[in-house]
Amino acid sequence: MKILKFGGSSVANAENIKRVLEIVNQKSEQGQLVVVVSALSKVTDLLQAAAAKAASNDESYKDIVAEIEKKHLDTLKALIPVSEQSSLLSHVKRIINHLETLLDGCFLLGELSNRTADTILSFGELLSSYIIAEALKQTNKNSGYKDSRELIKTNNHFGKAAVNFEVTNQLIRDYFATNESQIVIMPGFIASSLDGIITTLGRGGSDYTAAILAGALDAKALEIWTDVNGMYTANPKIVKQAHPIATISYQEAMELSHFGAKVLYPPTIQPVLRKNIPIVIKNTFEPESEGTYISNHVSSKDTIVKGISHIDNITLITLEGSGMIGVSGSSKRLFEVLSNESINVIFITQASSEHSICIGILNSDAENAEQAINGAFEVEITQNKVDPCIVEKNLCIIALVGENMKNHQGLSGRMFSTLGKNNVNIRAIAQGASERNISVVINERDVKKALNTLHENFFEENTKQLNLFVMGVGNVGEKFIEQIHNQRKFLKENLKINVRVIALSNSRKMIFDEDGISLKEWQSALKNGETANKDTFIARAKELNLRNSIFVDITANASVSETYEEFLKQSIAVVTCNKIACSSEYDNYKKLKNLSRQFNAPFLFETNVGAGLPIIDTVKNLIASGDKVHKIQAVLSGSLNFIFNNFDENNSFHDVVKEAGVQGFTEPDPKIDLSGIDVARKILILIRESGYEMDIDAIANESFMPAESLETTNNEDFFASLTKHAPHFKAIYDEALSKDSRLKYVAQFENGKASVGLQFIPKDHPFYNLEGKDNIVLFYTDRYVDQPLLIKGAGAGAAVTASGIFADVIRIGNV
């Protein structure tokens, strides 16, 4: 014999019930069945709401009763031929009338006792099981119905009654010893006391009903049919990569179900565990799927961690004080007072010093628990031996579960490290001696990030998902997105990095998609996005609270650079080609670096100097390995190098600057490049990364530009000034020609002093043959004395800058 249980979603409506009947008829060909059914989907909630409204003298309970009646009558009419409906409809209406009478009584009395509540809630299963049993008779005459209240006997603890197994098991065996039906339909959840009063087995009790029957009848298997493909490695509604667990032990299943895996009601396992009866979790809507097989068998080949689960709405209560140290009975008193108030303790941890005890309970019990505990320890609190209990609400418990965890070292460290890297603060920790469960308490707002981060680490072949928030999608930004789109498959297969762009913004529009923006059609999506707002962008990134979040700044905007602090404090990494932050006041630069370390959020800005060239990374490695930089000589502006390499007697300075802008080598405002401020910022960043403290006003800027040109307020006037001052630029060119030299804009640092300016470079100098938009940097260090360390290559252009930003993102993915 097999016991099959179908939950509320499986019997939500007539269409779903037809699926159930198909499964039942197919299964009955293999042997005798007992089929336990829940109330139709949401009906128990409706009954509960109707009872509450009636007891509070709210006449709208009648509307709920009408809704319940319609739901059941519509279902019956869709399942039963018209010719056979009359008597069945009358029976359903009689049951509804009885329900309404009870609710009328609650309304008149203005109260709802636990006993009456159980009776009212029982109507869901009574109605569903009656309709399903009658529908089954249409296709299988060898079927019958049995009221669970006649077989399952309990005490009078209304709301969650305890089963009297001795009486119950005998009644079940006696009934089925004489039963000749191939299929018996029974309502779940409901039972009765020894004196015949209706009781319930607690929400989710239909699973328990099925398990009680399975244990009493020594069933071959207990099948729980629901709307998912078994128990999952995590909640699939929160963790999209979660997948069904093929096999799991009873103990693991109990741990996961206790910690919120809602496909299985926790008490279900106990009646079948003693008899070693396997439980199979199956999907009513995908019956061919394997599902989850629960037994006492544990294979050493099974995964170390079987699942990650959680419980929401947790309050942490801490009782501490010097008066508890060495005093026997403190724990007993604490748990006794909670027991007297019928408060269930979900989580316990105690310091070895006995100075404090920490417990986790449901938020709904917090106020009652606080009053009860403070009352019980009133004397000690008055004497300052014990502090009033500390109450922290809106928390969540997350648990790693696995039978094989006890055989592997370092799992706790791996769990804590994974959470810590994503700024998930752990409030409390508990681990049993069996090492089957590691539980932590965290803030409720971090639960999605925590579950996804842990699942990624323990179940996804170490594939790391990076979530990007990109601001600035001009020439460089467009190339950056193109590179991500082209390389996503390679990164996933070879580096185990999954890059998703969650947000995009330009100066006009912004878009967000928590599941990742389609990089094929991002331009049209952005065009139709919401109005860009920097503050809203930051707030949304914080609110989403995604793991491995990275803010990518591809602007030259000062106000955007001022947001880095907010991102770093949320453990959101920052990758930027915007030089303003790292060349701002030295204290601000150091603060950002310190925040990066404090909140474990990378702050990478390789493209601040040399676009895609590995200049900053090289300096970091030199300093980290103990070298010391004494002197730097560099051509750090690809745009200025391009301009002076192409400026000659055939091309005016005005025309060459224009062309540099067209090719994307200059900033949108070319004065930033031509004034020397851009180069000054770059050499300042290299000086700081070399370990020296300096601010930008200490760098001598020897400008070659006419003052009138630098004082213009728009590009049109600026370019007009270049034409006006053409003789000035020609004179500079002629002087270089007369000295058989080339013009290069050079940045220097030596003996604590720095400067930027235009220089005449002779033929024997390393900078002389620097072509196109290339950059070059010479580092003179303790190790590179006679011959400097030289880095040379393309230092401007959208593609190379984008590749440098992309490299920083990948660097974070490889951490």
Side-chain angles (χ1 to χ4, degrees), residues 259-278:
F259 280 94
K262 293 181 173 57
V263 295
L264 192 64
Y265 181 54
T268 301
I269 297 168
Q270 201 58 45
V272 295
L273 172 62
R274 293 193 296 266
K275 299 287 187 73
N276 196 21
I277 299 168

Side-chain angles (χ1 to χ4, degrees), residues 614-660:
I615 298 173
I616 291 175
D617 197 48
T618 300
V619 174
K620 286 180 178 178
N621 290 334
L622 286 174
I623 302 305
S625 65
D627 204 352
K628 185 174 179 62
V629 176
H630 300 289
K631 178 181 176 181
I632 304 171
Q633 283 186 307
V635 174
L636 293 173
S637 173
S639 52
L640 287 175
N641 200 43
F642 174 87
I643 289 168
F644 287 115
N645 279 337
N646 288 280
F647 173 42
D648 55 28
E649 60 273 5
N650 299 316
N651 298 291
S652 70
F653 193 75
H654 169 279
D655 292 346
V656 175
V657 174
K658 271 277 189 186
E659 181 59 25

Side-chain angles (χ1 to χ4, degrees), residues 461-464 489-498 810-811 813-814:
E461 299 180 8
N462 288 324
T463 298
K464 192 172 189 177
K489 185 178 179 183
F490 174 86
L491 293 175
K492 203 165 186 179
E493 291 178 355
N494 294 275
L495 300 182
K496 300 299 182 187
I497 296 174
N498 179 26
I810 294 169
R811 197 172 282 122
N814 286 327

Side-chain angles (χ1 to χ4, degrees), residues 313-320 357-363 366 370 389-396 425-428 441-444:
N313 304 314
I314 293 295
T315 291
L316 209 59
I317 294 185
T318 304
L319 184 68
E320 64 182 18
I357 303 173
C358 186
I359 59 166
I361 61 174
L362 292 174
N363 284 342
E370 182 181 12
C389 61
I390 302 166
V391 180
E392 300 170 85
K393 290 187 177 181
N394 302 319
L395 302 173
C396 171
N425 186 37
I426 297 173
R427 298 291 301 109
V441 179
I442 64 170
N443 195 301
E444 209 168 60

Side-chain angles (χ1 to χ4, degrees), residues 350-366:
Q350 181 174 11
S352 59
S353 66
E354 300 180 40
H355 179 259
S356 68
I357 303 173
C358 186
I359 59 166
I361 61 174
L362 292 174
N363 284 342
S364 56
D365 291 326

Side-chain angles (χ1 to χ4, degrees), residues 15 98 469:
E15 184 181 347
H98 184 195
F469 297 80

